[in-house]
Amino acid sequence: DGGITQSPKYLFRKEGQNVTLSCEQNLNHDAMYWYRQDPGQGLRLIYYSQIVNDFQKGDIAEGYSVSREKKESFPLTVTSAQKNPTAFYLCASSGQGDSPLHFGNGTRLTVT
Amino acid sequence: KQEVTQIPAALSVPEGENLVLNCSFTDSAIYNLQWFRQDPGKGLTSLLLIQSSQREQTSGRLNASLDKSSGRSTLYIAASQPGDSATYLCAVRPWGQNFVFGPGTRLSVLP
């Protein structure tokens, strides 16, 4: 079955450490996205990529970095510069134009 | 800039009731509108996708309508069940922009 796999499901880190969240899709989608979800807030776009080797900042990119070396993979690194990294992170992908958006099951990151 | 709102923010109904969730958007220049369901601690599951040229889509007990001119969409759930309890989000895909999400409606269906 095609889908999006995010790993790990839960991640715990100490403050000051960088951490990388994995996102892999086998839907052959060109576009991939990273969102952050906090309690009581809607989804906020961190980074997106429309094609391999290219990506753009979303609304809240500060303190995050991404890479898109392969079509199926879009890892997100939460750096020590991110002031409030504890959140639920969601990866998504879509085809071109009017295609629907598909989501992974998310990674819950806790930084103490 | 496109904005999406959802009313009500939360809804509690007895099992078996038919219900309507509302989604409003400010700019009618969209490719499509998508309804999602999110269970606690989980990702978003796509329920229905309505293209801009369509007026409605149906899947089982769910029916979604789209009125671009008024900037509104409704999600109708027939004969609600406790398993329908979740947060429901709508998202629009504006021309030349990324998806824009509403804040969601938290639904509780009481047995």
Side-chain angles (χ1 to χ4, degrees), chain A residues 9-10 31 33 35 37 41-43 45 48 50 57 59 88 90 94-106 108, chain B residues 1 31-32 34 36 38-46 49 51-52 87 89 91 93 96-104:
Chain A
K9 186 173 181 179
Y10 299 99
Y33 309 82
Y35 292 91
Q37 189 176 39
Q41 296 199 35
L43 272 70
L45 182 64
Y48 64 100
Q50 303 281 16
K57 293 180 179 180
D59 301 319
F88 189 51
L90 288 160
S94 71
Q96 300 285 353
D98 58 4
S99 299
L101 194 58
H102 298 261
F103 280 87
N105 282 328
R108 184 164 299 282
Chain B
K1 180 184 174 184
Y31 281 118
N32 55 46
Q34 198 168 353
F36 296 90
Q38 186 177 29
D39 294 291
K42 305 283 189 183
L44 277 67
T45 300
S46 181
L49 172 73
Q51 301 293 355
S52 62
T87 297
L89 298 97
R93 188 165 196 177
Q97 299 177 45
N98 287 310
F99 295 88
V100 180
F101 285 82

Side-chain angles (χ1 to χ4, degrees), chain B residues 18-35:
Chain B
N18 302 327
L19 58 99
V20 174
L21 307 180
N22 296 292
C23 172
S24 298
F25 49 97
T26 54
D27 188 342
S28 62
I30 61 172
Y31 281 118
N32 55 46
L33 183 145
Q34 198 168 353
W35 281 94

